[in-house]
Amino acid sequence: MAVVEEEEGSPPAPAAAADPASSGSSDNEITVEEASFVHTEPPQDGSVPPVVSSNMEVLHDKVKKQVIKEGHGKKPSKFATCFLHYRAWVQGSLHKFEDTWQEQHPIELVIGKEKKQMSGLGIGVGNMRSGERALLHVGWELGYGKEGSFSFPNVPPMADLLYEVELIGFDDVKEGKARSDMTVEERIEAADRRKIEGNEYFKEKKFEEAMQQYEMAIAYMGDDFMFQLFGKYRDMALAVKNPCHLNMAACLIKLKRFDEAIAQCSIVLAEDENNVKALFRRGKARAELGQTESAREDFLKAKKQSPEDKEIQRELRSLAEQDKALYQKQKELYKGLFGPRPEPKPKASNSIVRFWQWLMSLIGYLIKLFKPKNE
């Protein structure tokens, strides 16, 4: 089993059926739907807007952009379905009123169909590329307007706004058709296209770009959607969704973001507790973090499901060698702390004592021998 592996091929083409998850949605509103995870670790701590030194690009009289991180590819066209994370602040007070990274839910925004208060954000996103992160300066006229918002989010009247935005990616295929308006088959097909594109980036070792595609694929199958699927439709969705999580984990291991890799594997294991790839990759990430016992537990469970797998056996041997090396290191450490065991001292020689004892006996004998003669 390779640690990093392109996942299985596309699921079988589904038969036509009505969408059990369809629901009404206004064409003039963005669709915000829960996704299963966060794409990237948010930059800095997110409490205040980032300090950006790049040039200010004027996109509109009331919208300006500063690039934080360059993206790739083309920009989304009108009615493209975009997937993004953002933070939003009131420019004057730096009051943060929204954070999709913190909420762990990327949003879906259809360019040209965004809510009125997000029209400035829509202009900014429409001038970004996939993977790009930017700071947008939006005038109050294209934000929450003269009245502001006193519910959620709480934005004062006539407030200029700052948005830190990351465009995960976008989909032009359905020309602005929101996820909630798609049939089950359309959503799964859209997700599978993204998975295939992610695999192509993965082969080129473009792991960040690959993860963007995998997250977009998973965004088509958010929790609300999955909860409503049963039988073959759920199986079809999981056949795309789970490989995307596993491939995300593979990318994250390559990028040494082991905690996030563990989270991706755990999502799969919540659905399939005996998934060998998820157990193996989670074990690999745990081992890299020094969580030896947890890693061993994952590898042993994976071995139980796939006893002949040489990669699993190799990882278990590696853990055993690490344990042995750690024992030797600890042994040397304790030896240095307490010093070497003292050698037994040789017993003092008794030859002098015996000589004096012999000499005194001799003197005594001689005294006894000559005493009668003298008398």
Side-chain angles (χ1 to χ4, degrees):
M1 176 189 297
V3 175
V4 180
E5 175 183 342
E6 275 70 55
E7 289 297 336
E8 299 85 328
S10 304
D19 181 4
S22 60
S23 59
S25 176
S26 169
D27 288 339
N28 296 321
E29 294 185 356
I30 64 167
T31 301
V32 180
E33 181 173 308
E34 292 187 359
S36 300
F37 64 97
V38 185
H39 165 58
T40 56
E41 185 176 352
Q44 304 178 27
D45 65 359
S47 59
V48 295
V51 177
V52 185
S53 58
S54 61
N55 294 332
M56 190 83 72
E57 180 183 353
V58 178
L59 308 178
H60 180 277
D61 184 40
K62 299 297 179 181
V63 182
K64 300 178 179 64
K65 181 182 82 165
Q66 290 179 282
V67 175
I68 300 172
K69 174 189 170 188
E70 295 286 350
H72 58 86
K74 63 179 184 178
K75 297 176 181 179
S77 59
K78 189 174 182 180
F79 301 131
T81 302
C82 301
F83 300 93
L84 57 139
H85 274 301
Y86 69 85
R87 294 191 184 93
W89 294 267
V90 174
Q91 185 169 344
S93 64
L94 297 185
H95 161 64
K96 184 170 73 171
F97 60 86
E98 202 161 5
D99 188 340
T100 65
W101 274 295
Q102 190 176 62
E103 295 163 8
Q104 301 188 1
H105 301 312
I107 73 160
E108 175 187 292
L109 184 147
V110 178
I111 301 295
K113 290 188 176 182
E114 62 274 355
K115 293 179 181 179
K116 183 178 179 181
Q117 60 265 36
M118 288 188 166
S119 54
L121 176 63
I123 291 171
V125 171
N127 285 276
M128 295 174 67
R129 304 177 192 276
S130 293
E132 182 178 336
R133 186 178 292 145
L135 184 67
L136 302 179
H137 303 253
V138 177
W140 63 266
E141 297 89 343
L142 297 181
Y144 287 82
K146 186 179 292 186
E147 301 298 326
S149 172
F150 293 97
S151 57
F152 178 82
N154 183 11
V155 181
M158 301 178 67
D160 293 334
L161 307 176
L162 291 173
Y163 287 98
E164 180 184 1
V165 185
E166 180 185 15
L167 178 58
I168 299 166
F170 59 89
D171 197 346
D172 282 326
V173 177
K174 293 298 178 181
E175 297 186 354
K177 192 170 185 179
R179 286 173 291 178
S180 58
D181 295 331
M182 293 182 180
T183 65
V184 171
E185 291 88 345
E186 286 175 333
R187 290 178 75 150
I188 294 174
E189 287 170 6
D192 193 51
R193 283 194 300 272
R194 289 300 176 184
K195 188 194 81 170
I196 292 170
E197 289 182 29
N199 290 348
E200 291 302 316
Y201 280 121
F202 181 85
K203 291 175 184 177
E204 298 172 8
K205 301 187 185 301
K206 296 179 179 178
F207 302 120
E208 291 282 358
E209 291 85 348
M211 287 195 296
Q212 290 166 1
Q213 298 301 317
Y214 296 140
E215 182 173 14
M216 287 177 64
I218 293 171
Y220 277 107
M221 293 174 288
D223 292 340
D224 291 348
F225 174 68
M226 294 299 297
F227 287 151
Q228 299 177 66
L229 297 184
F230 300 94
K232 70 173 184 177
Y233 291 110
R234 185 171 181 81
D235 292 340
M236 287 160 49
L238 288 175
V240 177
K241 183 174 182 287
N242 282 349
C244 287
H245 286 299
L246 292 173
N247 286 349
M248 279 283 292
C251 292
L252 290 163
I253 289 172
K254 281 289 188 182
L255 296 170
K256 301 187 184 302
R257 290 159 57 179
F258 302 116
D259 284 321
E260 294 172 78
I262 290 170
Q264 295 305 314
C265 294
S266 296
I267 291 171
V268 177
L269 291 168
E271 291 281 353
D272 179 8
E273 64 179 358
N274 293 320
N275 187 292
V276 175
K277 289 179 182 178
L279 288 167
F280 179 82
R281 291 176 188 175
R282 188 171 74 174
K284 185 75 175 174
R286 284 174 164 175
E288 292 288 351
L289 290 174
Q291 300 171 6
T292 308
E293 290 307 315
S294 296
R296 195 191 324 276
E297 183 180 338
D298 281 339
F299 289 139
L300 288 173
K301 194 169 182 179
K303 183 181 178 182
K304 186 177 180 180
Q305 302 300 319
S306 183
E308 303 301 322
D309 194 299
K310 293 182 180 179
E311 291 282 347
I312 297 172
Q313 295 172 8
R314 185 175 66 185
E315 292 298 329
L316 285 168
R317 286 196 300 270
S318 176
L319 287 181
E321 290 170 2
Q322 289 177 28
D323 287 344
K324 184 177 179 181
L326 180 61
Y327 171 76
Q328 291 295 333
K329 187 176 180 179
Q330 290 175 339
K331 185 178 178 181
E332 291 297 320
L333 177 63
Y334 293 148
K335 183 178 178 180
L337 287 174
F338 299 109
R341 184 176 178 178
E343 296 290 336
K345 295 181 179 180
K347 295 181 179 181
S349 175
N350 294 324
S351 57
I352 297 176
V353 175
R354 288 196 297 270
F355 173 76
W356 279 105
Q357 289 176 342
W358 173 82
L359 182 60
M360 295 304 295
S361 299
L362 179 61
I363 294 172
Y365 172 76
L366 292 174
I367 292 172
K368 290 179 180 179
L369 182 64
F370 290 104
K371 188 174 182 180
K373 292 182 180 182
N374 293 333
E375 291 176 351

